[in-house]
Amino acid sequence: MNGAPDRKNSDKYRAIIEAAIEVFAEHGYHNARVVKIARAAGVAEGTVYLYFRNKEDLLVSAFREKMETFTGEVAGRLAEPGGAAEKLRRLVDMHLAGLGADFTLALFFQIHLRQPEEAVHDGIAGPLARYARLIEGVVEEGMASGEFLPGLNKKLVRQMIFGAIDEVVSNWVHARGKYSLPGQAGAVSAFLLRGLAGTR
Amino acid sequence: MNGAPDRKNSDKYRAIIEAAIEVFAEHGYHNARVVKIARAAGVAEGTVYLYFRNKEDLLVSAFREKMETFTGEVAGRLAEPGGAAEKLRRLVDMHLAGLGADFTLALFFQIHLRQPEEAVHDGIAGPLARYARLIEGVVEEGMASGEFLPGLNKKLVRQMIFGAIDEVVSNWVHARGKYSLPGQAGAVSAFLLRGLAGTR
Amino acid sequence: MNGAPDRKNSDKYRAIIEAAIEVFAEHGYHNARVVKIARAAGVAEGTVYLYFRNKEDLLVSAFREKMETFTGEVAGRLAEPGGAAEKLRRLVDMHLAGLGADFTLALFFQIHLRQPEEAVHDGIAGPLARYARLIEGVVEEGMASGEFLPGLNKKLVRQMIFGAIDEVVSNWVHARGKYSLPGQAGAVSAFLLRGLAGTR
Amino acid sequence: MNGAPDRKNSDKYRAIIEAAIEVFAEHGYHNARVVKIARAAGVAEGTVYLYFRNKEDLLVSAFREKMETFTGEVAGRLAEPGGAAEKLRRLVDMHLAGLGADFTLALFFQIHLRQPEEAVHDGIAGPLARYARLIEGVVEEGMASGEFLPGLNKKLVRQMIFGAIDEVVSNWVHARGKYSLPGQAGAVSAFLLRGLAGTR
DNA sequence: GATGAATGAGTTTTCATTCAT
DNA sequence: CATGAATGAAAACTCATTCAT
C-alpha cells in the first residue's frame, strides 16, 4: 500500500512496526510520539514517513501485520482434523498462548488499539472480521455435527466467545502479566463449551 | 457541609457532565474539545474548571457518575429475592436495557472510555471493580446454592461474563444501534447460564 | 470575517496587522515566522489565531486593510473638481507620496506580496481591482472630455499606467529609498500624460 | 576546458532547467518540489545537485539562461539599422512576442520569480540590468537624434517603459493567456512613443 | 556520473488551562 | 461564581540536501 511493493519486506519496515508496537503499548496511540518510534527503530523521523503515510497508517499497519499472521496460524490449525469442541479449544489455546507469550503485543492489542478515529476503525475492521469468521465457522461446524446446541445465534455467540476471551486477556494485561495466561485456557474453553453444548 | 458536595448537585455540574458524555461519545476523548463541552453545557470554558480539575477529571467524573448510578440500581435489584440464575438474568437484562436505551451513553462506555492515561484508569477502576464484585457475588451465590457448578474460578468467570456482555454491547454500538439490544438478553443469559451450570 | 464583528477595531488586531507588515516586509511571506509577528505585536503566538484564520489570512488582511484605506483616499481626491489630467497627477502624487512616506509599507507592497498561493491572489484581487477601476475612470473621463486621445484601450492603458508607476516604486525600494520618491511624481505624470494626450 | 562549461551544455543540464521552469511556473518557487523537477527532467533527485548548488541556484540559473538568450536576441535586433522609435517598437514586439509564445515561460517570469531571498535577487539583478541598459540605450539614442524629447530622465523613463510592458504581460498571464499578447504591441509602442516624443 | 533512500531541522497551528475582570 | 480572551507548549509532517552504493 505504501511506496514500492517490496518495501514491506525491508528490514526498516519491520523495525518500525516493532518499534511502533512497543511505543504504542507503552504510551497509547495519542501519547506515542513518532520521533520516539523512529528512535526505537533506529531510523530518523522522516524515514517513518517513507514507509507509512502517517501515524494512523502506522497503527493500522502494525495491527494488520500482527493480526493477519495470527489469524493465518489459527486458520491453519483449525483446518486440521478434529471436532468443533476440539477446534474451539485450539483457538482459545492459541489466543491465550499467542498473547500470553508477548506482553507488549497483548498490551498493544488490548488497551491501546481502540481508537475512535474513523480510519483506524476501518483499517482494523477487516482483520478482525476474518478472525470473527473463524470463530463463527467453528460454531457452525459444531451445530452441524450436533456437538453444539442447535439454533444458536451464530453471530451473537461469536461475540460472546470473543468478548469472554478478550476480557480474560485484558485482565491479565491489567495485572501486568503477573500470572500465566495460557494457564487459564482450560477453564475458559470449558466455560465456553458448556455455553455452546450445555452438557457438563 | 462544605462546598464540594453542593457543587456536585448544582445544575451546572450536571449539565457539564451530560454535555461531556455527548461530546466524548461523538469525538472520543482526545478529539473532544473542552470548549465544545462548555458550549453544549451552556457555560463558559472557564466554568468547566470551576467544577472539574481538568479534562481527565471530567472524563472520570462522568464515568463514575453514570457507573455508580447503574451499579447502585443493579445492586438494588440483586438484593431482591431470587436464585442466582434469576439474578444473573436480571443483571444481563439491566446491562443491556440500560445501555440499549441510551445510545450515546453506550458509545461513551464502549468505545471511548478506554484510555491509557494512568489517571483515567485509576479513576475508573473503582466503579468498575464494584460492578465486578456484584457479578462475582452472583457467581458465589450460585456455587453455594448448587445452582452453578462447584469449583468455578470466580474471578475468571466474572471476567468472561462481563467480557461476553460487553462485547455484545460493543457490537451493537458498532452497528450504530440498528437492532434491539435488550432483545439479545435472553440468548446472552442462556449462554452464560449454561456456561455456569452446564445444564441445557 | 474573523470572530466577532468588532474584533477588527481592537487594539490587538491593529497591532498584529502592523507587526505583520513589518515582518513580511523584512523577510517576505514564506520566511516570515508567525512567532516573530506575534512578538513584534506584543502578543502570544496563539493570539494571532484569535484574530486571523491563518498566516495567509494575515497577509491578505494586512494588504486589504492598507489598500482599502489608500484607495478610499484616492477616490476622495479624485471626486474633487478638476480635469482628467489634473486628476491623473493627483493619483500619481498620492501613489508616490503614500509609499514614499512609508518605506516598510512600500517594501511590503512591492516585493513580498506577489505570492502564487491561490487564496492570496484571490484575497488581493478585489482591492487591486478597485484601484484599477479608479485609474480607468480617469482615462475614460479624459477621453470623454477630449483631454486624452480618443480610441484608447482603457484597460490596456490602465495597465501601462499602473505598471509604470509600480515599477518606479519598485526601483526606489530596491535602491533602499535612497532618493525622494515623491520627487519623481512630476516626470512620471508628464510621461504618462504625453502617452495619453500626445501633446508635448 | 574544465568541467563547468561542458556541464552547462549537457542534455541533463538543459532538461533540468526546462523542468524547473515548468514546475516553478506551476507551483511557484516555494511550493515547487525538487523531486518533482527531477522527475519532470527524467533524472534522480541527487542528479539535480550535480548540476546546481541548490534550489535557489536552480531558480537563478533558469532565469539567467532564458533572460540572457532573450537579451542577446533583442540586442542583435537593436544593432540593426533604424531610428530609436523603430527600435523601441522592435523591443516591445520582441518582449510581447517572446513571452506571448510561451505561456509557461511568461508565468515563470511574471508571477513566480520575485522572491525576497537575497541570493535570488542578486543572481537575477545582472541579467535584468543588461536588459535595462538596452532600453536606456534606445532612449539615449532617441534623445540624441531628436526623435525623443530632450532632457528625459533616462533611468526613470526606462523604469516606466519596462514597468508598462511588464504589467501588460502580467495581466495577460493572469488572464491565463486568453487573448493575443503580441496583438497588444502596437498600442503599447504607440503609448510609450507618445510619452517619449510627445507628438501624436 | 547517477541514484534514491535516508536524514532531521524547522514551522504552523491547536487547544487545555489560566486569570483579570 | 462566571466569563472568555489570552497564553504558549507541544508535535506531526515536509522536503532540501547528502552520501553510500
Side-chain angles (χ1 to χ4, degrees), chain B residues 84 132-142 154:
Chain B
R133 264 180 271 127
L134 239 40
I135 302 178
E136 288 178 26
V138 174
V139 173
E140 264 179 328
E141 204 176 314
K154 184 179 66 179

Side-chain angles (χ1 to χ4, degrees), chain D residues 27-40:
Chain D
H27 299 284
Y29 176 66
H30 278 101
N31 294 320
R33 304 298 159 222
V34 173
V35 64
K36 191 162 189 183
I37 294 172
R39 273 189 206 134

Side-chain angles (χ1 to χ4, degrees), chain C residues 132-199:
Chain C
R133 262 180 272 127
L134 240 40
I135 301 178
E136 288 179 25
V138 174
V139 173
E140 262 179 330
E141 205 176 312
M143 290 198 292
S145 71
E147 281 179 279
F148 299 163
L149 290 171
L152 292 172
N153 179 336
K154 185 178 64 177
K155 264 187 63 175
L156 182 67
V157 163
R158 174 262 293 169
Q159 291 167 23
M160 291 190 285
I161 292 170
F162 178 82
I165 303 173
D166 188 60
E167 183 71 15
V168 168
V169 178
S170 282
N171 275 269
W172 176 75
V173 164
H174 276 132
R176 318 239 37 107
K178 295 238 173 63
Y179 50 89
S180 161
L181 185 56
Q184 314 273 54
V188 170
S189 295
F191 178 87
L192 295 176
L193 286 172
R194 283 195 301 275
L196 290 162
T199 52

Side-chain angles (χ1 to χ4, degrees), chain A:
Chain A
M1 292 278 160
N2 303 297
D6 56 348
R7 262 216 187 141
K8 296 213 169 186
N9 296 319
S10 91
D11 286 352
K12 295 207 166 145
Y13 178 85
R14 304 221 65 80
I16 294 167
I17 289 269
E18 296 303 327
I21 289 171
E22 275 165 40
V23 177
F24 284 142
E26 188 181 351
H27 300 283
Y29 176 66
H30 279 100
N31 294 319
R33 305 297 158 222
V34 173
V35 65
K36 190 162 189 183
I37 293 172
R39 279 194 200 126
V43 300
E45 209 169 344
T47 305
V48 171
Y49 292 89
L50 293 179
Y51 291 90
F52 303 92
R53 242 188 322 285
N54 49 39
K55 193 181 166 185
E56 204 166 83
D57 183 34
L58 181 48
L59 176 73
V60 169
S61 298
F63 177 76
R64 299 179 75 110
E65 202 73 19
K66 291 295 178 180
M67 192 69 197
E68 277 162 12
T69 303
F70 176 64
T71 306
E73 288 169 1
V74 172
R77 293 276 287 127
L78 294 189
E80 295 173 15
E86 166 58 19
K87 286 182 178 176
L88 187 81
R89 272 189 220 100
R90 282 182 206 157
L91 187 145
V92 171
D93 285 351
M94 291 185 77
H95 194 140
L96 298 186
L99 295 182
D102 189 343
F103 183 79
T104 299
L105 186 64
L107 198 50
F108 174 65
F109 273 4
Q110 298 311 119
I111 312 288
H112 303 301
L113 203 56
R114 297 146 196 235
Q115 299 303 328
E117 274 78 23
E118 201 69 20
V120 173
H121 179 261
D122 291 352
I124 276 171
L128 275 181
R130 218 159 306 139
Y131 190 54
R133 264 180 272 125
L134 240 40
I135 302 178
E136 288 179 25
V138 173
V139 173
E140 262 177 331
E141 206 177 312
M143 290 199 290
S145 70
E147 282 178 277
F148 299 162
L149 289 172
L152 291 173
N153 178 335
K154 185 178 65 177
K155 266 188 63 176
L156 182 68
V157 163
R158 176 262 294 167
Q159 291 167 23
M160 290 191 285
I161 293 171
F162 178 82
I165 303 173
D166 189 59
E167 182 71 15
V168 168
V169 177
S170 282
N171 275 268
W172 176 76
V173 164
H174 276 132
R176 319 243 31 113
K178 296 237 173 64
Y179 50 90
S180 163
L181 184 57
Q184 314 272 52
V188 170
S189 295
F191 178 86
L192 295 176
L193 286 171
R194 283 196 301 274
L196 290 162
T199 51
R200 55 178 86 187

Side-chain angles (χ1 to χ4, degrees), chain C residues 53-72:
Chain C
R53 242 190 320 286
N54 50 37
K55 193 181 166 184
E56 205 165 82
D57 183 34
L58 182 47
L59 177 73
V60 168
S61 298
F63 177 75
R64 299 179 76 111
E65 202 74 17
K66 292 295 177 179
M67 192 68 196
E68 276 163 11
T69 302
F70 177 64
T71 305

